[in-house]
Amino acid sequence: MFSFLNEVSSTGSGLGKNLLPSIPPVPKFSKGFLYSVFFLAINLCTAQEAIQGVIPDWNFGEGDVITGFKEPRKIGTVSPDGNFTIPLTPNFIQKRKEEIDKNPPVSSADKTSPFMDLDRVFRRRGGSIVLDNAIQPVGSLSNVGVYGIGNMEGQELFGLLIAASSETFAESVLSMPSFEFTPGFLIDWYYVDKAATIKGVTTEESLGVDQKETFTNTMEYDLEFQPGWNMVKYEILSVFEDRDGRTYPRAERYISLTSLPEDFEFVFVPK
């Protein structure tokens, strides 16, 4: 089985110094290889049942939406005309536990990731943080907002899909090892069984790649989770540039969303 998503670091899910998630390396690509995906309107005032959209200029035929760490699994479909659907399953955590009990993965990564605590996924240690019900399991369908698009049966990856503020920001996230971060945001969906909150700000001194230059990094949290699926926006507000031109997140923020931002789009990056 192909593996397109590597295990996420256990230190959290921010994109700064505390966590540089292992996202599959994507070679430098021109703007011609980035396709914005038209997103179908969703009423978030009622139970959200699926993430749906259409990928323009799609020419791969039928496809699968894929997630997982070392054990990829199918979580959605893409039709021959590029329409994709990712169901947001009710009682997600319980159903994943049942799936894992029936089909234990070879890797422990997929087995443990659905049961990681909300506090561990989002919060950095230190700072003035207020928590309520944050020590509970949280589930997610993506790897730091990134989904694979491919063919599970043929073990083929067509590309990556990310919900982002722009193509430029999507490119910076997918090219993390290059340290070319830019202001912008991504959106992801998380499942919890009970209402919870994480609010506050952390501040810490961070080192550049050369281990010589330092900068102050801040992370703001304004998260209010309701039972079921929740939309969360991760945002880089400003960046620090070192003497060699590498950029790092300087001011970051996690906030809960009750509606989609106007400047939101899905971006598909062919492999």
Side-chain angles (χ1 to χ4, degrees), residues 13-26:
S13 59
L15 300 180
K17 169 180 171 289
N18 278 16
L19 173 62
L20 291 176
S22 297
I23 287 178
V26 177

Side-chain angles (χ1 to χ4, degrees), residues 21 54 83 112 115 136 139 156 169-170 176 205 212 233 251 259:
V54 57
N83 286 284
T112 59
F115 315 119
Q136 65 165 306
E156 184 178 5
F169 187 76
M176 283 184 188
E205 290 301 309
K212 295 179 181 179
K233 178 167 77 169
S259 62

